[in-house]
Amino acid sequence: AQSVTQLGSHVSVSEGALVLLRCNYSSSVPPYLFWYVQYPNQGLQLLLKYTSAATLVKGINGFEAEFKKSETSFHLTKPSAHMSDAAEYFCAVSSFGNEKLTFGTGTRLTIIP
Amino acid sequence: ETGVTQTPRHLVMGMTNKKSLKCEQHLGHNAMYWYKQSAKKPLELMFVYSLEERVENNSVPSRFSPECPNSSHLFLHLHTLQPEDSALYLCASRWTSGSRGEQFFGPGTRLTVL
C-alpha cells in the first residue's frame, strides 16, 4: 500500500519569501512522486514529478522538489513566492505498473502582500 | 480542443433529476478516471477505465453510473442524487504503456444537488 502525508493544511508566506510545502510518503516499492497545483474552480495541473532519475526535480513556475529516500520525503520549494502562487497543492505517489495515484490531503498556500 | 475537457462546467440538479457529465481527452491516452473532490475531504477516486474496461469501482453508490464508449470519452451518469453528492467532479487520463503514472486532469464539473 502507498500513502502520502502533507504536513500543514494551510501555509502562509510573505511575497518574496521562501515557499516550503512538506510531503512524506510511504511505499513498499520504488515510488513515483508528483506535485500538482489546483487554482480555484480548476482541475489539477502537474507541477513536477520524480520517476527515479535525478533526485532534484525542477518544475514549472520556478518550483522544485527533492526526493530524499532516507527521509521518505518529497518537499516542494520555491525561493521567492509570488502572489500568483496562491493555490492548493497536492502531493501524490504511484509506482511502476500502478493504475492509481494516491493523493495527500492538500496544502492551501496563501501569499501575504 | 487540447488536453482534457469536461462539460458542463457547472450543473445544478434536483434529487429526482437524471443528468450526465462528459469528459473527453485529446491526448491519445488509454486510461481514464473519475474523481470526486468535496470540501475539506481528500480527493476520492471513483472509477478507473483502462483500455475501455472498468478496472476499479471504489465502492461508489449505484446512483453514479460510468460509461466509457471509447478511449477518448468518459461519462458519469447521475440519477436520484443526494445533497451530499454536491462536489467538484474531476476527470483525468493517462497513457499506461511505459507511463510513469502521471495523470492529466480536466477542469472539473461543479455539481450542486438541491
Side-chain angles (χ1 to χ4, degrees), chain B residues 52-76:
Chain B
E52 300 157 42
E53 288 192 17
R54 190 190 310 180
V55 297
E56 181 90 14
N57 177 347
N58 233 14
S59 303
V60 179
S62 60
R63 57 186 184 268
F64 294 92
S65 175
E67 179 189 1
C68 187
N70 55 61
S71 60
S72 298
H73 293 87
L74 184 65
F75 294 89
L76 188 62

PDB file of all heavy atoms in Angstrom, chain B residues 52-76:
ATOM      1  N   GLU B  52     -10.724   0.929 -22.080  1.00  0.00           N
ATOM      2  CA  GLU B  52     -12.186   0.948 -22.156  1.00  0.00           C
ATOM      3  C   GLU B  52     -12.873  -0.075 -21.268  1.00  0.00           C
ATOM      4  O   GLU B  52     -14.089  -0.254 -21.331  1.00  0.00           O
ATOM      5  CB  GLU B  52     -12.659   0.794 -23.610  1.00  0.00           C
ATOM      6  CG  GLU B  52     -12.147   1.905 -24.513  1.00  0.00           C
ATOM      7  CD  GLU B  52     -12.120   1.511 -25.978  1.00  0.00           C
ATOM      8  OE1 GLU B  52     -13.087   0.876 -26.436  1.00  0.00           O
ATOM      9  OE2 GLU B  52     -11.129   1.831 -26.663  1.00  0.00           O
ATOM     10  N   GLU B  53     -12.120  -0.737 -20.398  1.00  0.00           N
ATOM     11  CA  GLU B  53     -12.740  -1.652 -19.444  1.00  0.00           C
ATOM     12  C   GLU B  53     -12.609  -1.081 -18.035  1.00  0.00           C
ATOM     13  O   GLU B  53     -11.553  -0.562 -17.661  1.00  0.00           O
ATOM     14  CB  GLU B  53     -12.062  -3.022 -19.496  1.00  0.00           C
ATOM     15  CG  GLU B  53     -12.400  -3.791 -20.740  1.00  0.00           C
ATOM     16  CD  GLU B  53     -11.966  -5.244 -20.643  1.00  0.00           C
ATOM     17  OE1 GLU B  53     -11.695  -5.728 -19.534  1.00  0.00           O
ATOM     18  OE2 GLU B  53     -11.891  -5.888 -21.705  1.00  0.00           O
ATOM     19  N   ARG B  54     -13.671  -1.220 -17.266  1.00  0.00           N
ATOM     20  CA  ARG B  54     -13.627  -0.716 -15.900  1.00  0.00           C
ATOM     21  C   ARG B  54     -12.744  -1.624 -15.062  1.00  0.00           C
ATOM     22  O   ARG B  54     -12.991  -2.830 -14.959  1.00  0.00           O
ATOM     23  CB  ARG B  54     -15.028  -0.652 -15.300  1.00  0.00           C
ATOM     24  CG  ARG B  54     -15.066   0.089 -13.969  1.00  0.00           C
ATOM     25  CD  ARG B  54     -16.384  -0.053 -13.253  1.00  0.00           C
ATOM     26  NE  ARG B  54     -17.535   0.239 -14.086  1.00  0.00           N
ATOM     27  CZ  ARG B  54     -18.790   0.164 -13.642  1.00  0.00           C
ATOM     28  NH1 ARG B  54     -19.032  -0.201 -12.405  1.00  0.00           N
ATOM     29  NH2 ARG B  54     -19.791   0.430 -14.445  1.00  0.00           N
ATOM     30  N   VAL B  55     -11.720  -1.056 -14.469  1.00  0.00           N
ATOM     31  CA  VAL B  55     -10.804  -1.863 -13.657  1.00  0.00           C
ATOM     32  C   VAL B  55     -10.893  -1.507 -12.192  1.00  0.00           C
ATOM     33  O   VAL B  55     -10.268  -2.143 -11.349  1.00  0.00           O
ATOM     34  CB  VAL B  55      -9.344  -1.714 -14.144  1.00  0.00           C
ATOM     35  CG1 VAL B  55      -9.202  -2.236 -15.553  1.00  0.00           C
ATOM     36  CG2 VAL B  55      -8.878  -0.272 -14.058  1.00  0.00           C
ATOM     37  N   GLU B  56     -11.636  -0.466 -11.867  1.00  0.00           N
ATOM     38  CA  GLU B  56     -11.766  -0.055 -10.481  1.00  0.00           C
ATOM     39  C   GLU B  56     -13.117   0.589 -10.272  1.00  0.00           C
ATOM     40  O   GLU B  56     -13.546   1.423 -11.062  1.00  0.00           O
ATOM     41  CB  GLU B  56     -10.669   0.975 -10.135  1.00  0.00           C
ATOM     42  CG  GLU B  56     -10.679   1.457  -8.704  1.00  0.00           C
ATOM     43  CD  GLU B  56      -9.820   0.603  -7.799  1.00  0.00           C
ATOM     44  OE1 GLU B  56      -9.020  -0.196  -8.323  1.00  0.00           O
ATOM     45  OE2 GLU B  56      -9.948   0.731  -6.580  1.00  0.00           O
ATOM     46  N   ASN B  57     -13.775   0.158  -9.216  1.00  0.00           N
ATOM     47  CA  ASN B  57     -15.009   0.806  -8.781  1.00  0.00           C
ATOM     48  C   ASN B  57     -14.863   0.930  -7.275  1.00  0.00           C
ATOM     49  O   ASN B  57     -14.968  -0.059  -6.550  1.00  0.00           O
ATOM     50  CB  ASN B  57     -16.210  -0.056  -9.146  1.00  0.00           C
ATOM     51  CG  ASN B  57     -17.522   0.549  -8.630  1.00  0.00           C
ATOM     52  OD1 ASN B  57     -17.524   1.474  -7.810  1.00  0.00           O
ATOM     53  ND2 ASN B  57     -18.632   0.035  -9.093  1.00  0.00           N
ATOM     54  N   ASN B  58     -14.604   2.131  -6.839  1.00  0.00           N
ATOM     55  CA  ASN B  58     -14.193   2.319  -5.456  1.00  0.00           C
ATOM     56  C   ASN B  58     -15.373   2.429  -4.511  1.00  0.00           C
ATOM     57  O   ASN B  58     -15.532   3.430  -3.832  1.00  0.00           O
ATOM     58  CB  ASN B  58     -13.335   3.578  -5.371  1.00  0.00           C
ATOM     59  CG  ASN B  58     -12.015   3.314  -4.692  1.00  0.00           C
ATOM     60  OD1 ASN B  58     -11.612   2.171  -4.515  1.00  0.00           O
ATOM     61  ND2 ASN B  58     -11.325   4.358  -4.307  1.00  0.00           N
ATOM     62  N   SER B  59     -16.215   1.386  -4.492  1.00  0.00           N
ATOM     63  CA  SER B  59     -17.375   1.372  -3.586  1.00  0.00           C
ATOM     64  C   SER B  59     -18.256   2.594  -3.772  1.00  0.00           C
ATOM     65  O   SER B  59     -18.698   3.209  -2.799  1.00  0.00           O
ATOM     66  CB  SER B  59     -16.913   1.284  -2.117  1.00  0.00           C
ATOM     67  OG  SER B  59     -16.115   0.159  -1.913  1.00  0.00           O
ATOM     68  N   VAL B  60     -18.475   2.938  -5.022  1.00  0.00           N
ATOM     69  CA  VAL B  60     -19.291   4.112  -5.324  1.00  0.00           C
ATOM     70  C   VAL B  60     -20.768   3.701  -5.375  1.00  0.00           C
ATOM     71  O   VAL B  60     -21.095   2.656  -5.939  1.00  0.00           O
ATOM     72  CB  VAL B  60     -18.871   4.711  -6.683  1.00  0.00           C
ATOM     73  CG1 VAL B  60     -19.725   5.914  -7.040  1.00  0.00           C
ATOM     74  CG2 VAL B  60     -17.397   5.083  -6.659  1.00  0.00           C
ATOM     75  N   PRO B  61     -21.662   4.514  -4.794  1.00  0.00           N
ATOM     76  CA  PRO B  61     -23.097   4.176  -4.841  1.00  0.00           C
ATOM     77  C   PRO B  61     -23.599   4.023  -6.271  1.00  0.00           C
ATOM     78  O   PRO B  61     -23.107   4.689  -7.198  1.00  0.00           O
ATOM     79  CB  PRO B  61     -23.750   5.377  -4.145  1.00  0.00           C
ATOM     80  CG  PRO B  61     -22.675   5.985  -3.324  1.00  0.00           C
ATOM     81  CD  PRO B  61     -21.397   5.736  -4.041  1.00  0.00           C
ATOM     82  N   SER B  62     -24.611   3.194  -6.429  1.00  0.00           N
ATOM     83  CA  SER B  62     -25.115   2.878  -7.765  1.00  0.00           C
ATOM     84  C   SER B  62     -25.814   4.061  -8.432  1.00  0.00           C
ATOM     85  O   SER B  62     -26.101   3.999  -9.640  1.00  0.00           O
ATOM     86  CB  SER B  62     -26.077   1.689  -7.692  1.00  0.00           C
ATOM     87  OG  SER B  62     -27.166   1.999  -6.845  1.00  0.00           O
ATOM     88  N   ARG B  63     -26.083   5.118  -7.698  1.00  0.00           N
ATOM     89  CA  ARG B  63     -26.672   6.302  -8.331  1.00  0.00           C
ATOM     90  C   ARG B  63     -25.672   7.013  -9.252  1.00  0.00           C
ATOM     91  O   ARG B  63     -26.028   7.919  -9.986  1.00  0.00           O
ATOM     92  CB  ARG B  63     -27.227   7.266  -7.276  1.00  0.00           C
ATOM     93  CG  ARG B  63     -26.221   7.739  -6.250  1.00  0.00           C
ATOM     94  CD  ARG B  63     -26.932   8.572  -5.181  1.00  0.00           C
ATOM     95  NE  ARG B  63     -26.024   9.143  -4.208  1.00  0.00           N
ATOM     96  CZ  ARG B  63     -25.706   8.551  -3.076  1.00  0.00           C
ATOM     97  NH1 ARG B  63     -26.212   7.349  -2.785  1.00  0.00           N
ATOM     98  NH2 ARG B  63     -24.878   9.128  -2.211  1.00  0.00           N
ATOM     99  N   PHE B  64     -24.410   6.599  -9.181  1.00  0.00           N
ATOM    100  CA  PHE B  64     -23.385   7.045 -10.126  1.00  0.00           C
ATOM    101  C   PHE B  64     -23.091   5.880 -11.064  1.00  0.00           C
ATOM    102  O   PHE B  64     -22.693   4.802 -10.611  1.00  0.00           O
ATOM    103  CB  PHE B  64     -22.099   7.428  -9.401  1.00  0.00           C
ATOM    104  CG  PHE B  64     -22.232   8.612  -8.513  1.00  0.00           C
ATOM    105  CD1 PHE B  64     -22.560   8.459  -7.169  1.00  0.00           C
ATOM    106  CD2 PHE B  64     -22.034   9.903  -8.999  1.00  0.00           C
ATOM    107  CE1 PHE B  64     -22.686   9.543  -6.339  1.00  0.00           C
ATOM    108  CE2 PHE B  64     -22.152  11.000  -8.172  1.00  0.00           C
ATOM    109  CZ  PHE B  64     -22.477  10.828  -6.836  1.00  0.00           C
ATOM    110  N   SER B  65     -23.224   6.130 -12.380  1.00  0.00           N
ATOM    111  CA  SER B  65     -23.014   5.061 -13.345  1.00  0.00           C
ATOM    112  C   SER B  65     -22.062   5.537 -14.430  1.00  0.00           C
ATOM    113  O   SER B  65     -22.399   6.435 -15.206  1.00  0.00           O
ATOM    114  CB  SER B  65     -24.359   4.659 -13.963  1.00  0.00           C
ATOM    115  OG  SER B  65     -24.171   3.718 -14.985  1.00  0.00           O
ATOM    116  N   PRO B  66     -20.861   4.967 -14.498  1.00  0.00           N
ATOM    117  CA  PRO B  66     -19.910   5.413 -15.519  1.00  0.00           C
ATOM    118  C   PRO B  66     -20.123   4.690 -16.838  1.00  0.00           C
ATOM    119  O   PRO B  66     -20.688   3.598 -16.889  1.00  0.00           O
ATOM    120  CB  PRO B  66     -18.565   5.033 -14.905  1.00  0.00           C
ATOM    121  CG  PRO B  66     -18.866   3.774 -14.144  1.00  0.00           C
ATOM    122  CD  PRO B  66     -20.282   3.942 -13.624  1.00  0.00           C
ATOM    123  N   GLU B  67     -19.633   5.354 -17.889  1.00  0.00           N
ATOM    124  CA  GLU B  67     -19.679   4.736 -19.219  1.00  0.00           C
ATOM    125  C   GLU B  67     -18.448   5.204 -19.987  1.00  0.00           C
ATOM    126  O   GLU B  67     -18.130   6.392 -19.990  1.00  0.00           O
ATOM    127  CB  GLU B  67     -20.942   5.153 -19.978  1.00  0.00           C
ATOM    128  CG  GLU B  67     -21.048   4.574 -21.380  1.00  0.00           C
ATOM    129  CD  GLU B  67     -22.183   5.169 -22.187  1.00  0.00           C
ATOM    130  OE1 GLU B  67     -22.911   6.053 -21.681  1.00  0.00           O
ATOM    131  OE2 GLU B  67     -22.340   4.767 -23.360  1.00  0.00           O
ATOM    132  N   CYS B  68     -17.780   4.257 -20.636  1.00  0.00           N
ATOM    133  CA  CYS B  68     -16.597   4.595 -21.434  1.00  0.00           C
ATOM    134  C   CYS B  68     -16.763   3.983 -22.811  1.00  0.00           C
ATOM    135  O   CYS B  68     -16.324   2.845 -23.041  1.00  0.00           O
ATOM    136  CB  CYS B  68     -15.337   4.076 -20.742  1.00  0.00           C
ATOM    137  SG  CYS B  68     -13.799   4.609 -21.522  1.00  0.00           S
ATOM    138  N   PRO B  69     -17.379   4.688 -23.746  1.00  0.00           N
ATOM    139  CA  PRO B  69     -17.660   4.109 -25.063  1.00  0.00           C
ATOM    140  C   PRO B  69     -16.423   3.920 -25.931  1.00  0.00           C
ATOM    141  O   PRO B  69     -16.423   3.063 -26.824  1.00  0.00           O
ATOM    142  CB  PRO B  69     -18.621   5.129 -25.689  1.00  0.00           C
ATOM    143  CG  PRO B  69     -18.319   6.412 -24.990  1.00  0.00           C
ATOM    144  CD  PRO B  69     -17.903   6.050 -23.603  1.00  0.00           C
ATOM    145  N   ASN B  70     -15.395   4.716 -25.692  1.00  0.00           N
ATOM    146  CA  ASN B  70     -14.123   4.580 -26.413  1.00  0.00           C
ATOM    147  C   ASN B  70     -13.041   5.217 -25.578  1.00  0.00           C
ATOM    148  O   ASN B  70     -13.321   5.838 -24.537  1.00  0.00           O
ATOM    149  CB  ASN B  70     -14.216   5.216 -27.807  1.00  0.00           C
ATOM    150  CG  ASN B  70     -14.655   6.656 -27.768  1.00  0.00           C
ATOM    151  OD1 ASN B  70     -13.981   7.500 -27.185  1.00  0.00           O
ATOM    152  ND2 ASN B  70     -15.795   6.949 -28.374  1.00  0.00           N
ATOM    153  N   SER B  71     -11.815   5.132 -26.028  1.00  0.00           N
ATOM    154  CA  SER B  71     -10.695   5.570 -25.192  1.00  0.00           C
ATOM    155  C   SER B  71     -10.639   7.082 -25.017  1.00  0.00           C
ATOM    156  O   SER B  71      -9.899   7.579 -24.175  1.00  0.00           O
ATOM    157  CB  SER B  71      -9.373   5.077 -25.779  1.00  0.00           C
ATOM    158  OG  SER B  71      -9.198   5.585 -27.088  1.00  0.00           O
ATOM    159  N   SER B  72     -11.400   7.822 -25.799  1.00  0.00           N
ATOM    160  CA  SER B  72     -11.345   9.284 -25.699  1.00  0.00           C
ATOM    161  C   SER B  72     -12.463   9.881 -24.863  1.00  0.00           C
ATOM    162  O   SER B  72     -12.389  11.046 -24.485  1.00  0.00           O
ATOM    163  CB  SER B  72     -11.415   9.923 -27.098  1.00  0.00           C
ATOM    164  OG  SER B  72     -10.332   9.534 -27.884  1.00  0.00           O
ATOM    165  N   HIS B  73     -13.488   9.107 -24.588  1.00  0.00           N
ATOM    166  CA  HIS B  73     -14.672   9.657 -23.937  1.00  0.00           C
ATOM    167  C   HIS B  73     -15.032   8.877 -22.673  1.00  0.00           C
ATOM    168  O   HIS B  73     -14.940   7.643 -22.635  1.00  0.00           O
ATOM    169  CB  HIS B  73     -15.875   9.633 -24.888  1.00  0.00           C
ATOM    170  CG  HIS B  73     -15.735  10.542 -26.054  1.00  0.00           C
ATOM    171  ND1 HIS B  73     -15.099  10.143 -27.228  1.00  0.00           N
ATOM    172  CD2 HIS B  73     -16.105  11.830 -26.243  1.00  0.00           C
ATOM    173  CE1 HIS B  73     -15.112  11.158 -28.077  1.00  0.00           C
ATOM    174  NE2 HIS B  73     -15.714  12.185 -27.515  1.00  0.00           N
ATOM    175  N   LEU B  74     -15.464   9.630 -21.684  1.00  0.00           N
ATOM    176  CA  LEU B  74     -15.903   9.037 -20.420  1.00  0.00           C
ATOM    177  C   LEU B  74     -17.109   9.830 -19.935  1.00  0.00           C
ATOM    178  O   LEU B  74     -17.098  11.057 -19.969  1.00  0.00           O
ATOM    179  CB  LEU B  74     -14.767   9.109 -19.393  1.00  0.00           C
ATOM    180  CG  LEU B  74     -14.998   8.462 -18.043  1.00  0.00           C
ATOM    181  CD1 LEU B  74     -15.152   6.949 -18.194  1.00  0.00           C
ATOM    182  CD2 LEU B  74     -13.839   8.774 -17.099  1.00  0.00           C
ATOM    183  N   PHE B  75     -18.126   9.103 -19.508  1.00  0.00           N
ATOM    184  CA  PHE B  75     -19.332   9.748 -18.999  1.00  0.00           C
ATOM    185  C   PHE B  75     -19.571   9.303 -17.562  1.00  0.00           C
ATOM    186  O   PHE B  75     -19.153   8.216 -17.144  1.00  0.00           O
ATOM    187  CB  PHE B  75     -20.551   9.360 -19.857  1.00  0.00           C
ATOM    188  CG  PHE B  75     -20.503   9.866 -21.261  1.00  0.00           C
ATOM    189  CD1 PHE B  75     -19.901   9.104 -22.262  1.00  0.00           C
ATOM    190  CD2 PHE B  75     -21.041  11.088 -21.595  1.00  0.00           C
ATOM    191  CE1 PHE B  75     -19.837   9.562 -23.572  1.00  0.00           C
ATOM    192  CE2 PHE B  75     -20.994  11.555 -22.900  1.00  0.00           C
ATOM    193  CZ  PHE B  75     -20.393  10.793 -23.893  1.00  0.00           C
ATOM    194  N   LEU B  76     -20.265  10.163 -16.829  1.00  0.00           N
ATOM    195  CA  LEU B  76     -20.744   9.789 -15.499  1.00  0.00           C
ATOM    196  C   LEU B  76     -22.228  10.128 -15.452  1.00  0.00           C
ATOM    197  O   LEU B  76     -22.614  11.297 -15.490  1.00  0.00           O
ATOM    198  CB  LEU B  76     -19.980  10.542 -14.407  1.00  0.00           C
ATOM    199  CG  LEU B  76     -20.246  10.094 -12.981  1.00  0.00           C
ATOM    200  CD1 LEU B  76     -19.823   8.631 -12.780  1.00  0.00           C
ATOM    201  CD2 LEU B  76     -19.523  10.991 -11.980  1.00  0.00           C
TER     202      LEU B  76
END
